[in-house]
Amino acid sequence: MKCRKSKTAALASILIAPLASAQIQTTPEVETNPASLEPADSQVLDSISMIPPFFSRDAIRFVRISPDGKRLAFMRGSDLMVGSVDEGFHAVQDWSGKVTLTQLEWMGNSALIARLILAGSWSGKPAFVALPISNENGQLLAGERSVFEAVGSILDPLPSDPDHVLFISNDVKDGNQFANVYRLNPFEKIRTQLGEADRLNKNFNRASWYVLNKSKKLFLALDSFDATPRLYKRSPGGTKWKLLWQGSANDRFIPLSLNADDSELYVLTDANSERLVAAALDVKSGQVSRIVHSDPITDVYNVVVSDRSGEPVAAVINRDGLIDYAFLDAALEEQFASIRDQLNAATVIIADIAKSDASAVIFTRTPNSTGTYHFCILASGECAEIGEVRPWLNSNNLATTETLEVASTDGHSVFAFLTLPAVPDEKKLPLIVMPHGGPIGVSDNRHYNPDAQWLAHNGYAVLRVNYRGSSGYGKTFLSAGMRQWGRGIEDDIESATDTVFSKYDQLDKTRVCIYGASYGGYSALQSIVRSPERYQCAASFAGVTDLPLLFSQSVYRRDEELRDELVKMVGDPELDLAELREYSPVYNYRRMSRPVFLAHGTEDSRVDIEHSWRLERLLRMADADVQMHEMTGVGHGFETLQQIADFYEPLMRFFDRHLRPMQ
Amino acid sequence: MYQQKSLLRRHTAIAAFVCALFMADPVSAATKCQRIAIKQIAKFDKQLAKVQARFEERRNRLVDGYLQHIDDTDRRDALAADLEAVVDGFELDDVLSRSREKKSVLTEFIAADEPEACKAGDGSAYIFDRTIEVLGVNHETALEALQDRIDIETVGPNEGLVVLAMYIDGRVMRLTLDKRGSMTGARAFKNVKVGQFFRIIKLPAGEYQWTTVRTSEELTRSYFADRTLYYYDFRDRDLSFKVEPGKLNFTGVLMYSGSGYADIKDRTSIVMRLVENRYPEFLERYPAVNGLVPGDKYLDFFLSEKRSWQEVQQ
């Protein structure tokens, strides 16, 4: 399958602290410190011991199918597994300890190349490791050879040239991203530096991404200087690059792959549309020749292109908060329907597809399970299970999540997700409203979310809202969130809250807290300033409390482009200072009449801990109910299960105290 | 601490080798070891007393010289206690007590007449030398802090008080603060200790910038490192702040990592706590401003709210 991860909105979404949704690299074990818990809180202790099953990383990850479709490679725990349904899966490499795999690709059918992040690495750069796979008396084995350390990724593993890979670096110069492409033989020698002799883009230095033609030569190049996408074309065999297409500032343009005769480029773009569409661009004229697929509500996220035919066979879309497909190939649609029926799953995702299109790795989920990987023969629809991603969780006890479409106060449609406990222990459920970070260019979905599941496991209903500014719903919706801190965004959150109370009798309107991280933390705090009657408490992790203080960070003082982005999102601290103060929790602390929980990492480089210190100090002066949890060594998110446990242990007490005081 | 251990290991290895040579004749080896150790201790005691006495004399001269000009007895007593607190803040006793521990272990071995005495004595000479050296450096820093404390009692018409706070993660031999538009460095801080640094100093009004750090690989990185001096220049990071005359200028917190990375964070609230604890009278005497982010209104807001709550309590 040819596809590329979207790099859109990377700059805009600067205030995201994943709650614990980030993949944590620890096995599902955690040490709690019983001495730190009071005897009366044995229930909390039991509860905290359940953190690892919810928050540890998936048991199975990076499932990759070999080009001939016969073998699979994937991570199971810390083991790299290789094999097939017939020959079984063998652990060929143990990457336990402080090693994190971030990319895995087949090089031909008998070697793999992996990008590893080594904690404590002197250079701090990813290490690329090539692994030839051999079969000795039925036992699969992997050799290991460190190739090089560099910031970047494998652009193409060149499956038809098993001795080489194309590597694309990710460099920054004068605030602009640019890339170099190298053709390397990872089995030839260990490199300390990437050599100029191996660089393919010798006479072109401004592109941030390259597209290969069928001969695996650099053919198209994309740059995004000044946030304006420009596509360049190199004539076959030539050395000069000519501008082929240029968008407008802030247009999104994501090149995917060329068709079989290199005449059309498949792209995702919103250059001439409200939302991201899949389009074909004529590489002779530089014009969009056709729209491959568009969706009336959400962005198109990706396109599945057949390696065999070079044609797009499916567009990846968002339907009710879940990944779904709009099929462009009738045969694949039929095969897919057959697999969906056979596996009886609500969600079926193509995780990887063989170059021959004969077999694929399929990921399935039911509404209350975390998901399972399968290996499927597409023609026959036969599938064999590879494994569950969270086998340690009892699927029957997982909460289900429902999608709601809410009409906002100014006529937008807003999507929200309500997670309800699988086994409610009360007739009326307390609700936790959980706004996401960002606020621009980030969104929630209906897939497994550890924080929502964890809270539901503890008896809370959880409401997450894709308020205005969230990604995936088009340009107008995205820009509608600009400068709406404490205003339109919170209007949307309140509209969604009103809707769930009108639709779900089992929710207790008198027991509601609001909690989030980064922007979500800000939203929680500002929400009890503007609507204290709605909430019993507010909790913030790494939350912004003082909008002008955001601009004090040296990164914004030095980098004008980043500062401009922040101004667009928040407001100008020089021109709009009064407005920024008006919507800052710090300057409104006297209006915060609800209990407040603040948690903040001492190493947070995005939202400095000073934000929480300022608010805490003022609230304490006012003798308000405030609890501050300073987390030494923690950044803008969590890196270990222990950090998550350390965070949730006092937070669950806080919620219990204010939402379930009688228990 | 790690570096000290590393160096200790190196000396341990050398000492073990020397001891192995002595072990050919155990009785004679023990005697020789005792003699060496006794000599080391005597030399250490003598040097220590000399360094301590010199420090006491300089400190007393500085403090007494200043206090005798203050007529108000209460004010003089309060100030004397404050000045002493500056010296205590450098934990000079800690350096001494650690060296005394080492010394007492060595003394016990000598008394026990053990042939292993050589092993106990390994690296002691180095530890003692380092103790004297570190104590000397800390004395200089303490005296400098004392002088700063005395200096800020009076502020000239074009001078402002500057609240300096730093988190230092790595050895700093010299940290330079330059005044913009001036050819000479405004101020250099020598041998800044790892951890938290907090001080109020007096500077002429103007714009200032943290510019360079000089450090040594020998005591910061690895066992095999040499004594190469490293020099980091962070002028391009614009770590600057303004000093307004007649005001108490908050300048953020300078964060320095041992690898040469430096940044300034606006952590006014935590610095305010330090000022409130250590120098409450300066908050009464001078208007406070944020020299790092001149447009920031938090300080004014906080102080006004604080006064308001104090009035409510009264």
Side-chain angles (χ1 to χ4, degrees):
Chain A
M1 182 176 68
K2 292 175 184 168
C3 56
R4 232 187 96 194
K5 278 188 182 173
S6 165
K7 293 204 280 186
T8 53
L11 190 64
S13 54
I14 53 177
L15 293 171
I16 318 159
L19 282 167
S21 314
Q23 290 288 299
I24 298 298
Q25 45 177 306
T26 323
T27 49
E29 289 168 18
V30 66
E31 286 178 17
T32 51
N33 177 10
S36 70
L37 302 172
E38 296 155 23
D41 287 328
S42 58
Q43 199 178 342
V44 174
L45 179 59
D46 288 346
S47 174
I48 291 300
S49 71
M50 284 299 290
I51 284 270
F54 285 95
F55 291 93
S56 58
R57 64 186 176 186
D58 292 349
I60 292 181
R61 311 177 303 284
F62 293 100
V63 188
R64 298 285 184 268
I65 195 162
S66 62
D68 64 8
K70 291 179 180 167
R71 273 188 183 155
L72 299 176
F74 58 90
M75 288 300 293
R76 186 164 70 194
S78 57
D79 288 332
L80 173 64
M81 309 295 294
V82 177
S84 65
V85 174
D86 294 336
E87 64 189 340
F89 296 106
H90 303 252
V92 297
Q93 194 73 227
D94 178 4
W95 280 325
S96 54
K98 295 180 174 178
V99 180
T100 306
L101 176 73
T102 54
Q103 189 180 9
L104 181 67
E105 305 290 348
W106 281 97
M107 296 172 56
N109 295 310
S110 52
L112 291 158
I113 187 157
R115 181 175 65 179
L116 304 173
I117 305 291
L118 312 171
S121 151
W122 178 255
S123 69
K125 296 174 182 172
F128 289 81
V129 175
L131 303 116
I133 306 294
S134 60
N135 186 336
E136 289 183 19
N137 303 322
Q139 176 68 35
L140 292 175
L141 301 168
E144 183 178 348
R145 189 172 173 87
S146 293
V147 185
F148 54 90
E149 289 187 356
V151 178
S153 56
I154 300 299
L155 175 65
D156 196 311
L158 301 177
S160 57
D161 178 4
D163 289 337
H164 291 89
V165 294
L166 293 186
F167 170 79
I168 185 163
S169 67
N170 182 7
D171 302 312
V172 177
K173 193 176 178 185
D174 300 330
N176 288 305
Q177 280 198 338
F178 69 97
N180 287 317
V181 179
Y182 301 84
R183 183 171 180 269
L184 306 169
N185 180 343
F187 303 109
E188 191 180 55
K189 59 185 175 185
I190 294 172
R191 294 155 197 270
T192 50
Q193 276 194 318
L194 298 173
E196 191 60 18
D198 298 320
R199 189 158 75 92
L200 300 186
N201 57 315
K202 283 186 178 151
N203 46 16
F204 197 66
N205 290 318
R206 56 181 296 158
S208 57
W209 193 257
Y210 288 89
V211 180
L212 308 173
N213 63 12
K214 65 185 171 193
S215 312
K216 299 294 180 186
K217 305 284 186 202
L218 302 187
F219 185 51
L220 299 170
L222 177 75
D223 86 43
S224 300
F225 282 50
D226 309 320
T228 304
R230 294 177 195 84
L231 188 69
Y232 298 85
K233 178 186 170 188
R234 182 163 77 172
S235 53
T239 54
K240 287 189 178 170
W241 291 84
K242 283 176 67 178
L243 184 66
L244 178 66
W245 175 90
Q246 179 171 339
S248 305
N250 299 316
D251 279 348
R252 290 182 288 172
F253 187 87
I254 304 160
L256 299 172
S257 62
L258 286 154
N259 67 351
D261 63 1
D262 296 339
S263 62
E264 280 188 328
L265 172 70
Y266 300 117
V267 299
L268 297 176
T269 182
D270 61 1
N272 295 305
S273 57
E274 168 63 23
R275 280 170 284 281
L276 271 182
V277 300
L281 185 131
D282 184 329
V283 295
K284 276 187 185 160
S285 66
Q287 302 293 314
V288 171
S289 50
R290 63 194 162 103
I291 300 297
V292 174
H293 186 77
S294 64
D295 186 272
I297 299 170
T298 67
D299 287 342
V300 174
Y301 289 93
N302 215 331
V303 175
V304 182
V305 178
S306 161
D307 273 300
R308 188 172 48 80
S309 67
E311 292 298 316
V313 290
V316 184
I317 55 170
N318 171 350
R319 190 159 288 152
D320 293 339
L322 292 175
I323 289 176
D324 204 349
Y325 296 91
F327 286 97
L328 309 167
D329 178 280
L332 184 66
E333 186 170 16
E334 203 175 305
Q335 291 164 351
F336 206 74
S338 155
I339 289 169
R340 189 192 291 265
D341 290 345
Q342 185 202 324
L343 298 176
N344 193 26
T347 306
V348 179
I349 296 170
I350 302 169
D352 203 1
I353 191 163
K355 296 215 159 286
S356 61
D357 292 350
S359 53
V361 175
I362 301 290
F363 178 77
T364 61
R365 266 202 70 205
T366 55
N368 63 348
S369 77
T370 57
T372 304
Y373 281 102
H374 309 263
F375 172 75
C376 298
I377 305 295
L378 292 177
S380 65
E382 285 175 54
C383 293
E385 185 176 315
I386 302 168
E388 285 181 62
V389 293
R390 281 169 197 274
W392 48 79
L393 277 182
N394 180 352
S395 292
N396 296 327
N397 288 336
L398 281 180
T400 53
T401 299
E402 296 175 22
T403 306
L404 298 110
E405 188 173 352
V406 177
S408 74
T409 48
D410 63 348
H412 289 294
S413 256
V414 171
F415 288 87
F417 307 102
L418 180 68
T419 303
L420 293 165
V423 190
D425 50 5
E426 295 176 81
K427 277 186 181 170
K428 283 277 194 183
L429 294 171
L431 176 70
I432 292 173
V433 179
M434 206 170 81
H436 63 69
I440 307 299
V442 180
S443 60
D444 274 321
N445 57 53
R446 244 172 88 196
H447 293 277
Y448 178 83
N449 178 289
D451 297 286
Q453 287 289 342
W454 163 251
L455 292 168
H457 171 77
N458 283 274
Y460 296 105
V462 180
L463 177 66
R464 293 171 297 142
V465 184
N466 279 343
Y467 48 72
R468 66 190 74 182
S470 300
S471 60
Y473 303 97
K475 288 178 190 170
T476 307
F477 191 77
L478 194 80
S479 58
M482 297 291 189
R483 298 194 183 201
Q484 290 302 311
W485 292 54
R487 284 157 273 181
I489 291 174
E490 281 62 36
D491 287 345
D492 291 349
I493 293 167
E494 290 178 5
S495 297
T497 312
D498 290 342
T499 303
V500 294
F501 282 126
S502 67
K503 288 190 175 176
Y504 294 85
D505 285 344
Q506 68 268 49
L507 298 179
D508 186 346
K509 208 173 178 176
T510 65
R511 291 189 294 155
V512 186
C513 280
I514 181 162
Y515 145 61
S518 195
Y519 179 85
Y522 162 84
S523 181
L525 298 168
Q526 191 62 20
S527 288
I528 60 165
V529 170
R530 60 178 255 153
S531 307
E533 71 286 357
R534 287 175 170 270
Y535 305 103
Q536 274 61 58
C537 65
S540 157
F541 171 73
V544 175
T545 68
D546 183 339
L547 300 187
L549 180 62
L550 280 173
F551 292 86
S552 301
Q553 288 194 51
S554 52
V555 63
Y556 296 117
R557 291 195 292 159
R558 272 198 311 276
D559 189 327
E560 233 172 86
E561 197 182 329
L562 262 182
R563 187 183 182 280
D564 289 347
E565 285 297 321
L566 192 61
V567 167
K568 276 187 216 163
M569 201 164 68
V570 185
D572 193 320
E574 283 162 21
L575 303 175
D576 315 313
L577 184 61
E579 189 180 296
L580 295 189
R581 288 182 61 178
E582 187 185 344
Y583 292 103
S584 292
V586 154
Y587 298 103
N588 290 289
Y589 78 99
R590 283 180 184 255
R591 293 166 61 193
M592 298 176 84
S593 55
R594 297 296 188 220
V596 170
F597 176 94
L598 300 169
H600 219 123
T602 57
E603 305 301 316
D604 190 336
S605 56
R606 286 202 191 175
V607 178
D608 193 68
I609 191 169
E610 171 75 3
H611 281 269
S612 290
W613 278 337
R614 283 187 179 188
L615 184 60
E616 182 210 5
R617 184 74 204 277
L618 288 161
L619 288 172
R620 287 206 191 286
M621 267 190 338
D623 205 19
D625 186 345
V626 58
Q627 189 176 334
M628 173 77 183
H629 192 53
E630 197 173 299
M631 301 191 73
T632 305
V634 171
H636 199 57
F638 300 119
E639 290 181 355
T640 65
L641 288 170
Q642 188 61 58
Q643 289 176 350
I644 296 170
D646 289 346
F647 168 69
Y648 265 115
E649 190 260 319
L651 181 61
M652 297 316 288
R653 271 180 223 265
F654 177 79
F655 284 148
D656 281 356
R657 194 161 68 242
H658 299 294
L659 292 177
R660 293 197 288 205
M662 302 307 287
Q663 289 191 359
Chain B
M1 181 59 79
Y2 169 75
Q3 299 305 328
Q4 286 188 0
K5 280 182 182 169
S6 298
L7 287 161
L8 184 58
R9 277 206 300 275
R10 180 155 52 178
H11 283 269
T12 306
I14 296 165
F17 176 70
V18 174
C19 280
L21 293 177
F22 281 134
M23 289 305 281
D25 180 359
V27 177
S28 137
T31 312
K32 281 179 185 172
C33 282
Q34 283 176 335
R35 281 187 197 145
I36 292 167
I38 289 164
K39 260 189 180 175
Q40 280 175 0
I41 290 172
K43 187 182 162 196
F44 173 68
D45 279 340
K46 204 171 166 186
Q47 282 182 325
L48 199 61
K50 202 170 156 187
V51 170
Q52 278 289 87
R54 197 162 57 224
F55 171 67
E56 303 280 340
E57 186 197 334
R58 291 172 71 191
R59 181 185 63 182
N60 292 342
R61 205 181 322 139
L62 199 64
V63 172
D64 294 347
Y66 177 69
L67 293 178
Q68 70 180 352
H69 296 295
I70 296 170
D71 296 331
D72 182 338
T73 320
D74 290 345
R75 173 80 188 135
R76 189 166 59 220
D77 290 347
L79 199 52
D82 197 0
L83 295 174
E84 282 299 314
V86 171
V87 180
D88 290 345
F90 286 87
E91 298 163 352
L92 297 176
D93 284 347
D94 186 46
V95 182
L96 281 173
S97 65
R98 269 185 279 133
S99 60
R100 283 192 193 107
E101 275 173 29
K102 186 73 186 170
K103 187 180 134 188
S104 66
V105 170
L106 192 56
T107 311
E108 278 175 31
F109 273 109
I110 294 165
D113 193 23
E114 290 184 18
E116 293 288 314
C118 266
K119 285 184 185 172
D122 63 26
S124 292
Y126 174 77
I127 294 288
F128 291 159
D129 286 351
R130 280 292 294 154
T131 300
I132 299 295
E133 191 185 329
V134 169
L135 203 57
V137 167
N138 285 0
H139 285 161
E140 289 304 321
T141 312
L143 292 168
E144 182 191 273
L146 260 181
Q147 188 63 59
D148 279 334
R149 179 65 189 87
I150 290 167
D151 286 349
I152 60 176
E153 280 297 308
T154 53
V155 177
N158 192 39
E159 289 177 328
L161 292 184
V162 183
V163 183
L164 296 179
M166 308 177 205
Y167 286 122
I168 303 293
D169 181 15
R171 182 174 156 85
V172 171
M173 294 174 71
R174 185 185 170 91
L175 172 66
T176 315
L177 180 66
D178 285 347
K179 186 174 185 207
R180 287 239 169 105
S182 169
M183 295 296 283
T184 54
R187 184 72 192 256
F189 296 88
K190 291 178 191 168
N191 296 296
V192 185
K193 285 169 73 174
V194 170
Q196 188 174 298
F197 175 100
F198 173 70
R199 199 182 293 178
I200 295 181
I201 65 169
K202 186 168 72 177
L203 286 173
E207 196 170 344
Y208 291 82
Q209 183 179 14
W210 295 106
T211 52
T212 58
V213 153
R214 197 173 70 193
T215 185
S216 163
E217 181 83 354
E218 193 263 338
L219 284 171
T220 57
R221 287 274 169 83
S222 70
Y223 178 69
F224 296 105
D226 57 21
R227 278 183 173 266
T228 308
L229 287 177
Y230 285 82
Y231 178 84
Y232 298 111
D233 189 324
F234 23 73
R235 258 172 269 250
D236 61 335
R237 295 191 62 81
D238 189 20
L239 308 176
S240 60
F241 57 83
K242 282 183 183 155
V243 173
E244 288 187 51
K247 293 186 177 167
L248 185 61
N249 296 271
F250 284 65
T251 63
V253 178
L254 178 72
M255 320 285 288
Y256 172 74
S257 78
S259 57
Y261 176 81
D263 196 5
I264 295 189
K265 293 192 173 183
D266 182 1
R267 291 188 163 177
T268 305
S269 67
I270 201 75
V271 177
M272 174 59 79
R273 280 176 196 265
L274 293 169
V275 176
E276 286 172 322
N277 289 340
R278 293 288 305 277
Y279 301 106
E281 71 275 21
F282 287 87
L283 283 169
E284 302 295 326
R285 269 196 256 171
Y286 301 97
V289 290
N290 188 338
L292 182 67
V293 190
D296 186 33
K297 301 292 180 199
Y298 172 76
L299 259 177
D300 286 345
F301 178 75
F302 170 78
L303 291 169
S304 140
E305 291 296 300
K306 189 178 167 187
R307 277 191 295 274
S308 161
W309 286 110
Q310 281 169 343
E311 282 167 16
V312 169
Q313 282 169 355
Q314 283 164 7

